[in-house]
């Protein structure tokens, strides 16, 4: 397809160690957000890493909170590809049914289409 041809053109070639910028360009992010009744209790649960983020396909995570609502979190989990993100999302949905430290999660998988630092 046209998209694959473009991707083959711009992706690093074999033997070339991709830079951090090149790696992040092809990352997929599972973005999750929800209210938490008690941030500290939620953070302790997150840090327990029940699903093994550190040893799995999660490459990086970032936790964000709105300035005006410290009991709401947005989490970005970075993956190499959409299938890894989807599999982790399935595992998270199962976990959601068994925890009480958060409510009404919303999640979607997005891909980085452009990123630039100044």
């Amino acid at each position: 397809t046209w998209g694959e041809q473009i991707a083959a053109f711009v992706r690093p070639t074999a033997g070339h160690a991709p830079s951090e910028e090149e790696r992040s360009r092809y990352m997929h992010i599972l973005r999750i957000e929800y209210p938490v009744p008690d941030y500290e209790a939620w953070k302790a649960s997150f840090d327990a890493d029940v699903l093994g983020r550190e040893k799995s396909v999660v490459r990086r995570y970032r936790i964000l909170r709105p300035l005006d609502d410290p009991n709401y979190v947005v989490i970005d989990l970075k993956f190499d590809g959409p299938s890894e993100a989807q599999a982790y999302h399935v595992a998270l949905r199962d976990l959601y049914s068994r925890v009480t430290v958060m409510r009404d999660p919303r999640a979607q998988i997005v891909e980085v289409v452009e990123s630039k630092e100044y």
Side-chain angles (χ1 to χ4, degrees):
T1 69
W2 179 80
E4 291 168 331
Q5 291 171 1
I6 296 297
F9 178 75
V10 298
R11 286 182 195 237
T13 57
H16 168 73
S19 69
E20 178 66 25
E21 181 180 343
E22 289 169 328
R23 278 195 306 274
S24 68
R25 185 180 310 148
Y26 304 107
M27 290 280 191
H28 288 78
I29 298 169
L30 173 58
R31 174 162 278 188
I32 311 152
E33 55 183 274
Y34 44 77
V36 292
D38 176 347
Y39 178 81
E40 296 306 321
W42 171 83
K43 184 66 166 77
S45 177
F46 182 87
D47 289 344
D49 196 12
V50 175
L51 295 178
R53 273 186 319 277
E54 188 172 348
K55 294 182 172 114
S56 72
V57 295
V58 176
R59 297 289 174 222
R60 180 178 306 131
Y61 74 82
R62 182 169 65 166
I63 300 170
L64 304 106
R65 290 196 298 181
L67 293 176
D68 63 348
D69 189 354
N71 289 328
Y72 192 89
V73 295
V74 178
I75 305 141
D76 287 347
L77 301 173
K78 289 184 125 185
F79 299 86
D80 287 335
S83 59
E84 292 91 347
Q86 183 61 38
Y88 201 83
H89 187 208
V90 169
L92 275 175
R93 282 193 303 249
D94 179 57
L95 179 64
Y96 294 158
S97 67
R98 297 180 279 135
V99 298
T100 60
V101 293
M102 45 72 68
R103 306 182 299 262
D104 306 320
R106 292 181 18 207
Q108 63 181 338
I109 298 169
V110 297
E111 67 178 331
V112 176
V113 295
E114 185 172 343
S115 177
K116 183 159 183 100
E117 290 190 34
Y118 294 100

